[in-house]
């Protein structure tokens, strides 16, 4: 019997584990992939917009070569924190169900060999983030193998016809990198421009590439369909059919709604922001808490630098609650 089971081993899940550890609470983190898997899925040469000090967890300093760390540095930092602080995390175990008992919860996880592993706990913290659940295009062909929701690097796509869908930082960064690696790039965005609200470091490059026609840009447009050889774009001029080898659908991510709803957590219909108390981060389900990026739904307003502090409030509330229960036994 654990005091707390944390579902999700990203930065905010690790931070919550450290906060619980400081309180002397018995906890375990269950992660379906590697630790901080959302960062694993980032582009290989990505430099983060947040400075290193704003990505620290557990009051453990993070020193990077530059003010803003790259992907390799950040992965190394979280590995070292996990190892040195002896964070209790079980990787490559996927949570299949959560059931509520009279005074506890049963979490059933499955490992890579399909063995079922049960966990019992008095409270639950869901720190699953949003990056494991990409938003879908919802068109014919969006499930083809050539369609991806994560971008790693551009070398593989030299001389290939690649369409990038989206207009935020991840899509712009991918489009620029693909062009630099010799791909024939088409960028599709439902908005009128992609030059607003992106990182300053991307703005100049993107403006120049669009001005010179190096990237084929379709504003106010969406994807109509995808097949093995082509992509159809719904534009103000009508349907445009283009040769296509690969598609990167980088239109955002969302919480694992099925997991939240399976235990009774309510979510806003449009924003998918789950219901929770902003003082304690307890959801509308008693003794089930939410930590990190998952609290922001699809709004993209909660980041690591904010969510890493959620665990402190959660740990304080759980420690007080369990202490009160034990004192009345």
């Amino acid at each position: 019997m654990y005091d707390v089971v944390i579902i999700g081993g990203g930065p905010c899940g690790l931070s919550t584990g450290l906060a619980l550890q400081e309180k002397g609470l018995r906890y375990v983190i269950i992660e379906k992939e590697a630790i901080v898997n959302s960062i694993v899925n980032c582009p290989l040469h990505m430099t983060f917009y947040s400075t290193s000090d704003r990505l620290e967890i557990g009051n453990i300093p993070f020193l990077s070569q530059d003010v803003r760390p790259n992907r390799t540095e950040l992965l190394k930092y979280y590995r070292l924190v996990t190892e040195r602080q002896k964070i209790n995390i079980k990787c490559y175990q996927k949570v299949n169900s959560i059931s509520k008992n009279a005074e506890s919860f049963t979490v059933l996880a499955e490992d890579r060999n399909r063995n079922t592993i049960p966990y019992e706990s008095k409270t639950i913290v869901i720190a699953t983030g949003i990056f494991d659940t990409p938003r879908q295009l919802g068109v014919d062909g969006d499930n083809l193998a050539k369609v991806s929701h994560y971008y790693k690097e551009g070398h593989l796509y030299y001389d290939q016809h690649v369409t990038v869908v989206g207009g935020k930082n991840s899509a712009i960064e991918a489009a620029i990198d693909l062009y630099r690696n010799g791909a024939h790039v088409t960028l599709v965005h439902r908005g009128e421009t992609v030059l607003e609200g992106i990182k300053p470091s991307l703005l100049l490059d993107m403006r120049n590439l669009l001005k010179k026609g190096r990237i084929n840009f379709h504003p106010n447009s969406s994807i109509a369909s995808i097949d093995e050889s082509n992509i159809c774009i719904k534009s103000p001029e009508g349907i445009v059919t283009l040769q296509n080898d690969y598609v990167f659908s980088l239109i955002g991510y969302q919480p694992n709604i099925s997991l939240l709803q399976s235990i009774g957590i309510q979510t806003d219909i449009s924003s998918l922001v789950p219901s929770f108390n902003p003082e304690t981060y307890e959801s509308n389900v008693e003794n089930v808490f939410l930590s990190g990026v998952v609290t922001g739904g699809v709004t993209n307003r909660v980041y690591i630098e904010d969510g890493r502090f959620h665990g402190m409030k959660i740990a304080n509330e759980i420690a007080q609650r369990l202490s009160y229960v034990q004192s009345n036994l």
Side-chain angles (χ1 to χ4, degrees), residues 98-154:
I98 308 171
S99 56
K100 185 171 175 52
N101 310 315
E103 297 182 357
S104 65
F105 296 89
T106 299
V107 177
L108 295 182
E110 183 179 83
D111 67 15
R112 286 181 288 190
N113 298 319
R114 296 192 175 181
N115 298 312
T116 298
I117 305 170
Y119 295 89
E120 294 287 328
S121 70
K122 300 171 185 176
T123 59
I124 299 286
V125 176
I126 297 177
T128 49
I130 62 174
F131 298 109
D132 285 340
T133 314
R135 300 175 73 179
Q136 303 297 314
L137 291 169
V139 300
D140 289 342
D142 67 351
N143 60 344
L144 292 174
K146 72 175 190 176
V147 180
S148 176
H149 301 280
Y150 303 97
Y151 180 77
K152 286 286 190 180
E153 62 174 339

Side-chain angles (χ1 to χ4, degrees), residues 124-187:
I124 299 286
V125 176
I126 297 177
T128 49
I130 62 174
F131 298 109
D132 285 340
T133 314
R135 300 175 73 179
Q136 303 297 314
L137 291 169
V139 300
D140 289 342
D142 67 351
N143 60 344
L144 292 174
K146 72 175 190 176
V147 180
S148 176
H149 301 280
Y150 303 97
Y151 180 77
K152 286 286 190 180
E153 62 174 339
H155 175 77
L156 296 175
Y157 308 98
Y158 170 77
D159 201 31
Q160 301 297 294
H161 292 82
V162 184
T163 299
V164 178
V165 187
K168 295 187 178 180
N169 288 319
S170 58
I172 303 309
E173 203 156 15
I176 293 172
D177 191 57
L178 284 163
Y179 168 76
R180 288 175 175 167
N181 280 274
H184 308 286
V185 184
T186 295
L187 178 62

Side-chain angles (χ1 to χ4, degrees), residues 129-266:
I130 62 174
F131 298 109
D132 285 340
T133 314
R135 300 175 73 179
Q136 303 297 314
L137 291 169
V139 300
D140 289 342
D142 67 351
N143 60 344
L144 292 174
K146 72 175 190 176
V147 180
S148 176
H149 301 280
Y150 303 97
Y151 180 77
K152 286 286 190 180
E153 62 174 339
H155 175 77
L156 296 175
Y157 308 98
Y158 170 77
D159 201 31
Q160 301 297 294
H161 292 82
V162 184
T163 299
V164 178
V165 187
K168 295 187 178 180
N169 288 319
S170 58
I172 303 309
E173 203 156 15
I176 293 172
D177 191 57
L178 284 163
Y179 168 76
R180 288 175 175 167
N181 280 274
H184 308 286
V185 184
T186 295
L187 178 62
V188 179
H189 180 41
R190 63 183 179 181
E192 187 174 349
T193 180
V194 293
L195 299 178
E196 297 178 358
I198 62 174
K199 298 176 185 177
S201 59
L202 301 175
L203 183 58
L204 181 60
D205 281 344
M206 197 64 202
R207 181 186 287 124
N208 289 337
L209 290 173
L210 293 179
K211 184 177 180 180
K212 295 177 180 179
R214 304 291 172 79
I215 289 179
N216 180 21
F217 180 45
H218 288 268
N220 300 312
S221 301
S222 59
I223 303 302
S225 65
I226 306 168
D227 63 33
E228 293 289 358
S229 304
N230 301 291
I231 188 166
C232 293
I233 301 169
K234 187 186 301 182
S235 73
E237 292 76 34
I239 299 295
V240 178
T241 301
L242 299 174
Q243 181 181 348
N244 175 261
D245 299 305
Y246 296 96
V247 177
F248 286 96
S249 176
L250 305 176
I251 58 175
Y253 306 88
Q254 66 184 41
N256 186 340
I257 296 301
S258 60
L259 177 66
L260 298 178
Q261 291 179 343
S262 71
I263 198 170
I265 297 176
Q266 300 167 354

